[in-house]
Each structure stands twice: as C-alpha cells, then as structure tokens.
Amino acid sequence: MRQAYRIIPIYTADVSGVCSALYELGGMTVMHDPSGCNSTYNTHDEIRWYDQDSLIFISGLTDIDAIMGNDEKFLQDIEDATEELQPRFIALASSPIPFMNGTDFPGLARALTVGTGIPAFSVPTSGMHDYVYGAGLALAEIAKHFTGAGEEKNKGGSEHSIKTNDEKIPGSTGKSVKCVGIKSEMNRRKLNLLGVTPLDFGPQSIVDIMKKRLENQGWEIISTWAMGDTLETLAKAGEADVNLVVSSVGIPAANVLKGKFGTPFLVGTPVDGYVEKISDALAEMAEKVTGECRISEEIPDLWKVTPDQVIYISTESSQPDITVIGEPVTMGSLAAAIEYKYEKKVQLLCPLEITEGLLREGDQAIRGEESIEEGLKTAKIIIADPLYRPICPETARFYELPHIAFSGRIYLRKIKEMYAHNLIKTT
Amino acid sequence: MLKRIGIRAISEKTEVTIGEASFPAPFQPGLEFNSPAHGNWNIVHTGMLVPEAQQIYVCADNCMRGVVLTAAEMNAVERFSFVIVEEKDLLGGNLEDITIEGVTDVLNRLPKKPKAVLLFTVCLHHFLGSDLDRIYGELESRFPEIFFMRCFMDPIMQKTGPTPDQKLRRAMYDAVPEAEADPGCVTLLGSDFVLDADADIRRISEHNGFKLRETAACETWEEYQKLGEGSLIIDCYPAGKFGVQQQAERLGRPFLYLPGSFDYEEIQWQEEQLLEKLKELKGEITGPDIKKEIRFCEEALSHAKKIIGDTPIALDYLFHPRPLGLAKLLLTHGFKVESIYLDSISPEEKDVFFWLKENVPELKLISTIRPEMRVRTRCSENKILAIGQKAAWFTGSRNFVNMVQGGGLYGFDGIRRTAQLMIEAFEAEKDPEDLIVRKGWGCESCI
C-alpha cells in the first residue's frame, strides 16, 4: 500500500517548508496548529533554530476554537505579538484541522494587514504536502509582495535603467513593457539563486560554496532565496539578468519574477563538476535576452517549467549504472554531473510531489516506500540519504548523501564535515 | 533577517514576580514559541518502553515528521511504522479504511510480528468521527495474536481534557493482564525512568524484601506483562496518575500516588502511606529513620550552599514537575533563587505558590512559550546556575543541571541527589548546544 511505511521516514512537510523558506527574512510565520508542528519544525527541519532568531510560532489551536470557528482569538494573538515584535510581514500556514475546516486564511491575512498595517499573506498548506510545495509557494509570496517596489533597476551593469511595474500584480494580464539596452560593460552578469533552504542545501557554508562557484564564473549574485540575505536584498531581485532555480522550491518564485520583470530563468544546481555547464547555459540565456524588451506577462502556472529551461535535462535513456534518490533539481544536476564526469548512466528516483518537467528520460517519479523498494531492487550503486539504506538491496553499493529534508539533523555533523574540505578548496 | 540573538529586554508579557502572579496561569495565553531545549520525553519515547512492541501512527505528513524522526534519532526506526493520511482521505471519508488497510499492510511487511502495537490515531480521526471500535475490532480480528493499544496523538484536545501523554500512560498498560498478586512484589508504573539506586521507594521496598517492578526496567514482553503481579501499584510521576490509577482499579490492586516532592513533611507523609500499605501486605516492616534522613539532607544542602554561595539560580518546570517546591527548598536554605521558568502552575503546587507569593514576592516567574521569548536576552555577564535545560537555554548558562521530568529522583534521597547535581553543574561547564537539543534525555541519541 502506497501510504504505508514500514521503516523509512517521510520528507519535511509543507508547513515546515514555509517556515524554512521565510526564516531569515524578518517576518513572522504563524502555523495555525494545536501543538507539535513547531516542535517538529524546529527540532528536525530547522538547523538554524538554536542560534539564529526567527519569529516562528504556533497558534495553540484548541478543539473548541476549531469547532466553534473562533478565528478571532487567532487574529488577536497575532496582533498582540506583532505589537511587540514588529515583523516585516506576517505569513500564515495551515495544519490539517484548519485546512479540513475550510478556514479562510486569505481573508484572515487581509484582516491582519488592515488590523496591523503589516503586510500579511497566507500560504495554502494543509500539512499533507511535502516541503517543496510549501517553501515554493512561500517564496512566491515574497516575490509577489516585496520585489521591485518603486526602484529603478539596473541590469547587467548597464548604465541604462528600466522602470519596474510597481503596480503589476502577478497573475494579471501583462501589458507593461520594460525596455532596456543592456550590454554589460563590466562583463559581470547578474543572477538570483532561487530555491535555497537548509532543507536541500544544509548550512550557510554550503550555500557560500555554491555562490562562490558561480562568482568564479563571473556572475554577480544579487540575491539568494532565501539564505544569507535580507528581505531588502531580495527586493532587488528584479535587477538580475537571469534567474537560476537551484531546487524545485525556487520554481514558483522564478515564475513570479518572470511575470513581474520578464526575467528568464533556468533550472539546475551548480554542483561540483557541473558549474561550467550551468554558467554557460546562463550566459547563453543572458546573451539571448540582452537588448530585448522585457515584457512582464501573465503567470499561467506557478510550477510551470519547460524542457528548454532545465539545464540538466537529457533525453537518453538506458540501463542505469547508478541510482540516486531525492529532490529532482539538485539530484538531477548531480546525476548529470556524474554522467558527464564518469560516463556512467544515472537514474533518479524522485519521491517528491513536484516533478513535472524536471525529470530526465529514464528518471522516475515514485511515491511510497514499497514502490521505492521495488524500484531499487535492481540497483547496483545507490546514492541516497542513509535512512534509505534499510530498503536497499544488500548487493548494492550504498553511498551516503544526507538530505536534511529527509533525515533531519541526524547527519548534520557529517554534512558539515563532507563540505568542510570543499569550502577550503573553493575559497 | 534576525541575527543572533536574544538581545532585547521584553515587557511584562514574559515575566512577572510571583507576588503579582495569578494562579494557575501567570501569563496571558497567545502564540506559542518552542525553545530548542528538547530533552523532554514525547509519546514516542514513552511508547518505546513497551518491549517487543511496534508503534504505528496514522496521520498527515507534518505531524508524522516529528514522531518518525524521534524514533530515528533514538536508533529505533525498526520499531516505528506509519500510514500517511492524504487530503483525498479526508474528502473521501474513508479514513477508517485507510487506517485498517495501512496498518494491515505494515504488519504484513514486518519481518516479525510484534507482541503489541501501539496504534496512534490523531485529531483528524476525532474530527471526522472515525469509528475507532470498528478500526480496532477489524485489526484485532485480522491479527488476533497481537495486542492493540488504543493510543492517541490528538494535541488539539489537550487543553480541554487529558493530554496524549496521559492517555498513552493509560493505554500502554492495557496489555498488562490481570494476574494473581505476588505479596512480595510492588509495581511502579507511569514513569519514564527507573528510580535511582538509593531512591526512597526503592530502598524502602527492597529493604523490606519486596521486589520492585518498574516499567522502564522491562526488557522483554514477558517481563512487561508481569508488571501486573505487584500487590501494590504506585505512581510517582504526575502525568502517569490519570492512567495508572485506572489500571490499578482494573487489576484490582491498591494504588498509591506518591509524586516526587522537595518538602520534608510531604515526603514523610508519603513514606508513611507506603509503609502502611507494605505492612498490610507483609506484616512487620521497617521504615527509614526520618530524622536521620532529614539531617543528611540538611548536610547535603549546607555543603552545596557553601560551594555555590550566592550565585544566582534559575530553574525550570522541565527539570522536575515541582519547580516551585524546589525553589522553596532552596530559598529556605539560603540559595539565591532568582527565577523560575514555567508557563503554568500545577494544582499540586498551589500551597507552595501562595507561600512563595507571601514570603518571596520578588521571585520572578518567566514564561518559556510566550512569543517574545524568542528575542529575549539570553546571556548574562555573571555566572548563573541553571537547574534544567530550559533555564540553561534562556539564561545562556553553561553551568546547568541536565536532567528532565525528575529523572529517577525520589524522596529524601532525591533532595540529596539534587544538591549533588547542583554542585556538579556549578563546578563544571557543559555544552548546552550539544546536550539540550537532544530529544528524550536518557534515550539513545544518534545526532
């Protein structure tokens, strides 16, 4: 049975994804939940909790309030907290019971905006999706609400400037035209990294390695969504020539930024051995759009990705030598890097929900412990989080690649050790 | 971005002197913060005390994540399974079928059938009106060799009724069968920890020839089932009382609730109760020399005071269910207790609350869950002795007693042991970032 799990854990869920994505941006995230969500999140899904403050709370929902539809207490408690803490924004996320009750979160967010004067939004979580869904939609909300407000944007180091369409609401019909003559004089093109959370990337030091790799290729990174940068920095995202979605979490924000500023995006993670390929693709994309009129456009689907946007995509399928398990963009890029470097065929098994357009030929979207176990039966070499080992065949060689969104903090020390030498090498 | 770290003086919402505090809720309820001190046991840790049993949870991803990784961190993934509830299961109204078929599938795939299953249903089952009798009835007929314990992970109900933890401490003993009473055996239920080697209940029982059976000491299913042989059933942990009292009635045994205390008179009274019951079972028995016990406690406290001196002390509710009682003991022995981290006051501590209110009105009560606590100052220029993990985190102290829920402390020995732990904490620093973030103090931890 697909929903029954004997021994492996489950990925971080959508509510934690929201918190993780918004952690460093100075807002206040409230999980409408009785208990447990906060502890789960900050124990297993949040490696910054001990020494980096963030305003993330639960509402402490009770059965009586849920049954009676007492949203007033929820609103009052949030307003009370904002008075003291003055967050930059308020984000609401739902756990299963408020979802089931049909609580009107967009309405509550509007009421909070009016009541507090602080921008508020909700992310439509239910506690029943994986983190990619929650984190992705949370970053999209940031892109909608906080980018490009009244600023003049400079792209590609050009002395020319563009006007952003401040009033443009994502999703509305795009009529605004942003024309820029941009031929970079400094030959240092600008880039945003979208979809960066510790759930996929671990500690900040690993993100710094990734950034350094791209900077070494001549890229200026405007903002990283959302680790190591402030909300103010993210607000400048419209200045980028191109956006790079480094995990599937970044796709909705990329689509919003594309809609808002016309910024094109590509999908791929600059893993070791694959950076030049990524950089070249970005450069080609940036070159292609240089001098073009950027047209903000309607966003048909926040999760839309087309094959030409996915750098690591391949159409060749053959019997795999190696099997990797995990998030489609990071592991897809890793698979491509391995194929490129070692000339071995790699297959990705992706147990997460969002896979459309992100898998290579031969890769497989796979749900449930039994299906994964079945999919691994013929695997010869497996690269995956160590907690997958109990369902791997004994005959397979297993290479541990811890993933915080799967095993939480259990292998955090190992992750830090794995990348420590890489940091020295890169810097 | 908010950067390190708790550097703000926060309003009265987070802190109140006991002189001004109301009983039993000194702080206004609101949004809730959760600190990184995770040594408290949760339902997974406690459920693992049942040997040779499998825990199976039926819930949504977000709730599941916390419990499955609790099991993983304590190196017990093979004893934990689950069934994921999806949105379609709520809309389709088939949560009962999902539960039954999911649990069946898990059990069929286990390499060996467990002796018992702790099956945890959740808030969603309540709200959808799931027929739990049907679920358990069907599973019991499919797996007659397995004992199914009716457990709950339904925190949405915990402010208006028993907590999931309390309900677990009832359900986990349903599998203990009625048995003939062994007149030479006493059973201690409801605690997560075995009593310390010299804890009073153990000393008194064993000194008088009684075997002491304890939940946390059981290593096999057979031993666990023999818990019912005790002629007297004792609970000394408050969260256990709700369930253990009911189990004692079911098993037809006398029941004593002897909660850990820091008050000489209360301890003496409790031990007199115990001795009386033991006497009924065995006739002639001998009790401890209370005067001598108290004298030893006084010496231990005096020794600790000489070493610790006027160093400020902060303590918390997680160290022991009787934080106010501990504060009173320490204050009346000259220690400089300045603050207690807690969010509510146990009814068991009502008298001591009002004693402190009258006699030490300047004593500070500080919340651990108010949202403002996230950014409250968490460091001090001066050395602070913290008793408990939460006190350690909120004060930033590296001199802290690392223990939760009263550990194996009990009675006069518990007082002496506490004094010793305070000295050890005072004299040697520990790393809170390594220690207090570990879940389930005393359990294996692979982080």
Side-chain angles (χ1 to χ4, degrees):
Chain A
M1 183 180 171
R2 182 177 56 78
Q3 290 165 250
Y5 288 69
R6 178 178 61 88
I7 195 161
I8 66 169
I10 191 164
Y11 281 90
T12 299
D14 52 7
V15 180
S16 288
V18 174
C19 301
S20 181
L22 303 180
Y23 195 88
E24 301 186 19
L25 303 180
M28 182 168 84
T29 304
V30 183
M31 298 173 261
H32 199 18
D33 175 68
S35 174
C37 275
N38 204 1
S39 170
T40 292
Y41 166 65
N42 74 59
T43 310
H44 302 291
D45 297 329
E46 185 46 75
I47 60 175
R48 298 164 289 192
W49 195 251
Y50 191 92
D51 51 15
Q52 188 173 341
D53 286 350
S54 184
L55 306 178
I56 294 176
F57 309 113
I58 57 160
S59 61
L61 177 67
T62 66
D63 49 353
I64 301 300
D65 287 339
I67 291 163
M68 302 304 288
N70 181 11
D71 295 333
E72 193 54 40
K73 179 180 183 300
F74 182 57
L75 292 174
Q76 188 57 52
D77 287 348
I78 294 173
E79 289 182 11
D80 177 48
T82 57
E83 267 179 36
E84 188 78 56
L85 300 170
Q86 290 297 309
R88 301 293 310 276
F89 58 85
I90 301 165
L92 309 178
S94 172
S95 65
I97 294 294
F99 164 77
M100 197 183 73
N101 282 356
T103 302
D104 178 11
F105 282 97
L108 292 173
R110 282 194 298 274
L112 285 167
T113 302
V114 172
T116 64
I118 296 169
F121 57 86
S122 64
V123 184
T125 56
S126 65
M128 289 180 253
H129 295 282
D130 65 45
Y131 71 101
V132 174
Y133 178 81
L137 295 182
L139 290 182
E141 290 295 328
I142 295 296
K144 285 177 193 173
H145 288 86
F146 299 104
T147 54
E151 292 170 7
E152 299 244 317
K153 304 297 171 195
N154 295 303
K155 288 180 184 277
S158 169
E159 57 192 20
H160 302 279
S161 63
I162 59 170
K163 290 269 189 193
T164 58
N165 178 20
D166 299 337
E167 283 72 46
K168 173 97 179 95
I169 300 166
S172 66
T173 307
K175 297 221 169 116
S176 168
V177 177
K178 295 174 278 186
C179 291
V180 201
I182 45 172
K183 182 66 186 171
S184 170
E185 290 176 2
M186 297 186 292
N187 199 26
R188 197 167 170 81
R189 283 156 299 203
K190 294 179 178 178
L191 176 71
N192 296 306
L193 298 180
L194 307 179
V196 184
T197 72
L199 294 166
D200 286 318
F201 291 90
Q204 182 65 42
S205 56
I206 295 173
V207 178
D208 293 339
I209 291 171
M210 179 169 66
K211 289 168 72 173
K212 189 74 182 173
R213 284 175 182 154
L214 289 165
E215 284 164 357
N216 288 345
Q217 297 287 326
W219 291 95
E220 179 185 345
I221 296 167
I222 302 286
S223 65
T224 303
W225 292 52
M227 284 178 73
D229 281 335
T230 61
L231 191 62
E232 288 76 12
T233 309
L234 267 56
K236 296 174 186 164
E239 294 178 17
D241 298 297
V242 59
N243 288 327
L244 179 63
V245 170
V246 295
S247 82
S248 44
V249 164
I251 295 169
N255 274 312
V256 172
L257 294 172
K258 187 165 183 280
K260 211 166 174 180
F261 304 107
T263 316
F265 71 89
L266 292 174
V267 179
T269 316
V271 297
D272 194 17
Y274 204 60
V275 184
E276 273 186 41
K277 176 93 173 162
I278 297 263
S279 178
D280 290 348
L282 288 168
E284 193 181 326
M285 169 70 80
E287 188 67 28
K288 200 159 60 177
V289 298
T290 296
E292 284 183 6
C293 290
R294 301 274 177 85
I295 301 172
S296 57
E297 56 195 47
E298 191 173 354
I299 306 162
D301 176 2
L302 283 174
W303 295 101
K304 186 182 177 188
V305 176
T306 54
D308 60 305
Q309 291 175 303
V310 183
I311 299 168
Y312 58 81
I313 214 81
S314 104
T315 51
E316 291 173 29
S317 178
S318 57
Q319 193 64 25
D321 303 296
I322 299 169
T323 304
V324 298
I325 309 173
E327 190 278 328
V329 177
T330 51
M331 295 304 265
S333 302
L334 177 67
I338 293 170
E339 289 182 350
Y340 178 68
K341 192 169 179 181
Y342 299 103
E343 295 184 346
K344 299 278 186 192
K345 178 63 190 165
V346 184
Q347 181 195 31
L348 166 66
L349 300 183
C350 180
L352 296 164
E353 288 173 64
I354 310 287
T355 58
E356 199 175 333
L358 298 173
L359 301 182
R360 303 162 318 137
E361 194 69 29
D363 291 347
Q364 202 180 341
I366 197 161
R367 303 295 303 279
E369 182 182 270
E370 261 187 304
S371 300
I372 301 170
E373 193 167 12
E374 186 63 30
L376 289 169
K377 267 190 177 156
T378 55
K380 290 172 271 187
I381 298 172
I382 297 167
I383 302 172
D385 187 278
L387 292 186
Y388 275 111
R389 194 191 285 267
I391 60 165
C392 293
E394 285 181 11
T395 50
R397 280 163 65 190
F398 190 92
Y399 290 91
E400 296 186 345
L401 188 59
H403 185 191
I404 286 174
F406 193 63
S407 55
R409 60 184 183 169
I410 291 176
Y411 302 101
L412 183 57
R413 285 174 208 264
K414 185 167 187 162
I415 291 171
K416 287 177 178 172
E417 284 165 13
M418 281 170 67
Y419 286 91
H421 75 283
N422 207 336
L423 181 62
I424 295 162
K425 200 171 75 179
T426 310
T427 53
Chain B
M1 178 169 18
L2 295 167
K3 274 291 184 187
R4 177 80 160 132
I5 208 160
I7 47 167
R8 292 175 56 182
I10 298 294
S11 70
E12 68 282 356
K13 288 177 183 173
T14 61
E15 178 180 321
V16 63
T17 62
I18 199 164
E20 294 172 335
S22 53
F23 175 89
F27 305 105
Q28 179 190 331
L31 299 183
E32 295 177 9
F33 167 63
N34 183 270
S35 82
H38 295 309
N40 51 295
W41 281 41
N42 65 28
I43 49 178
V44 177
H45 300 113
T46 302
M48 290 293 177
L49 293 175
V50 183
E52 302 179 57
Q54 189 79 8
Q55 295 189 46
I56 304 178
Y57 287 67
V58 184
C59 61
D61 299 44
N62 215 72
C63 316
M64 192 65 75
R65 176 88 175 152
V67 283
V68 67
L69 285 184
T70 297
E73 287 193 0
M74 65 188 296
N75 287 323
V77 282
E78 73 286 354
R79 294 186 60 203
F80 187 102
S81 305
F82 61 88
V83 182
I84 281 294
V85 176
E86 298 178 347
E87 288 179 5
K88 66 174 174 50
D89 304 324
L90 309 185
L91 304 171
N94 62 340
L95 190 53
E96 290 147 7
D97 294 335
I98 292 293
T99 304
I100 293 166
E101 299 307 328
V103 172
T104 300
D105 186 56
V106 162
L107 290 172
N108 285 335
R109 284 163 51 205
L110 288 177
K112 187 184 169 195
K113 293 279 185 296
K115 293 285 196 300
V117 166
L118 292 92
L119 175 55
F120 287 81
T121 53
V122 299
C123 310
L124 290 168
H125 288 86
H126 290 307
F127 273 68
L128 288 172
S130 296
D131 184 348
L132 296 183
D133 286 339
R134 185 190 152 218
I135 290 171
Y136 283 98
E138 181 62 29
L139 288 170
E140 281 158 359
S141 77
R142 289 185 188 187
F143 301 97
E145 73 278 26
I146 295 174
F147 192 97
F148 286 88
M149 300 176 186
R150 298 185 178 209
C151 307
F152 299 90
M153 182 167 70
D154 53 358
I156 201 165
M157 326 276 277
Q158 69 188 4
K159 288 176 183 166
T160 50
T163 64
D165 179 46
Q166 287 176 303
K167 287 187 264 196
L168 170 62
R169 289 172 205 272
R170 175 180 61 189
M172 66 191 284
Y173 299 116
D174 280 340
V176 175
E178 292 174 36
E180 194 175 331
D182 176 354
C185 176
V186 169
T187 294
L188 183 71
L189 303 180
S191 300
D192 291 326
F193 309 105
V194 292
L195 289 175
D196 288 348
D198 293 321
D200 296 16
I201 290 177
R202 182 183 301 288
R203 276 189 296 146
I204 292 168
S205 303
E206 293 178 352
H207 177 74
N208 287 291
F210 286 90
K211 178 180 175 60
L212 183 65
R213 289 192 183 277
E214 296 172 271
T215 312
C218 294
E219 292 182 354
T220 65
W221 177 246
E222 194 182 0
E223 271 183 71
Y224 189 80
Q225 291 212 301
K226 286 184 177 173
L227 287 170
E229 290 180 0
S231 295
L232 168 66
I233 292 180
I234 302 168
D235 170 57
C236 57
Y237 183 58
K241 186 186 177 191
F242 167 80
V244 175
Q245 187 165 14
Q246 293 177 52
Q247 293 294 356
E249 279 173 29
R250 178 179 66 84
L251 294 167
R253 300 287 189 275
F255 169 72
L256 280 180
Y257 176 55
L258 307 175
S261 170
F262 293 99
D263 181 273
Y264 293 149
E265 281 184 28
E266 186 180 12
I267 294 170
Q268 184 177 353
W269 182 83
Q270 288 184 357
E271 295 187 358
E272 284 167 3
Q273 300 285 303
L274 176 61
L275 290 164
E276 193 178 308
K277 289 288 181 196
L278 295 179
K279 197 173 176 182
E280 287 171 17
L281 294 171
K282 205 170 186 179
E284 203 55 38
I285 51 144
T286 56
D289 179 340
I290 298 294
K291 282 186 183 169
K292 200 165 142 188
E293 292 286 340
I294 292 174
R295 193 175 78 239
F296 286 164
C297 287
E298 291 291 303
E299 287 170 7
L301 289 165
S302 170
H303 179 58
K305 176 69 177 76
K306 272 182 198 153
I307 293 168
I308 294 164
D310 286 332
T311 304
I313 294 175
L315 57 92
D316 69 41
Y317 74 90
L318 184 57
F319 170 75
H320 197 282
R322 295 281 185 92
L324 298 185
L326 175 58
K328 180 183 174 187
L329 175 79
L330 296 177
L331 284 162
T332 53
H333 286 80
F335 291 90
K336 194 178 174 190
V337 179
E338 290 190 340
S339 53
I340 306 174
Y341 288 84
L342 49 67
D343 299 289
S344 61
I345 294 148
S346 161
E348 293 180 10
E349 296 220 277
K350 186 175 181 180
D351 290 346
V352 70
F353 171 83
F354 284 104
W355 187 92
L356 289 167
K357 194 178 184 67
E358 188 176 334
N359 293 282
V360 198
E362 71 279 12
L363 179 66
K364 284 185 283 192
L365 304 182
I366 305 174
S367 169
T368 72
I369 62 171
R370 282 287 313 175
E372 299 83 2
M373 292 303 288
R374 170 81 260 190
V375 294
R376 187 187 153 100
T377 303
R378 296 195 294 274
C379 58
S380 169
E381 288 177 3
N382 303 317
K383 186 173 182 175
I384 293 176
L385 175 61
I387 304 178
Q389 296 187 341
K390 287 187 187 280
W393 191 73
F394 283 113
T395 59
S397 175
R398 298 176 72 83
N399 295 91
F400 65 100
V401 180
N402 186 31
M403 198 185 77
V404 304
Q405 299 168 214
L409 303 178
Y410 187 80
F412 297 112
D413 178 71
I415 289 175
R416 295 191 287 268
R417 182 81 187 117
T418 300
Q420 183 59 34
L421 289 170
M422 288 167 60
I423 293 170
E424 288 169 12
F426 182 82
E427 291 181 333
E429 289 190 351
K430 299 187 191 77
D431 180 3
E433 189 164 2
D434 178 44
L435 294 173
I436 71 171
V437 300
R438 292 173 186 271
K439 288 186 105 168
W441 177 84
C443 293
E444 275 187 51
S445 171
C446 66
I447 67 168

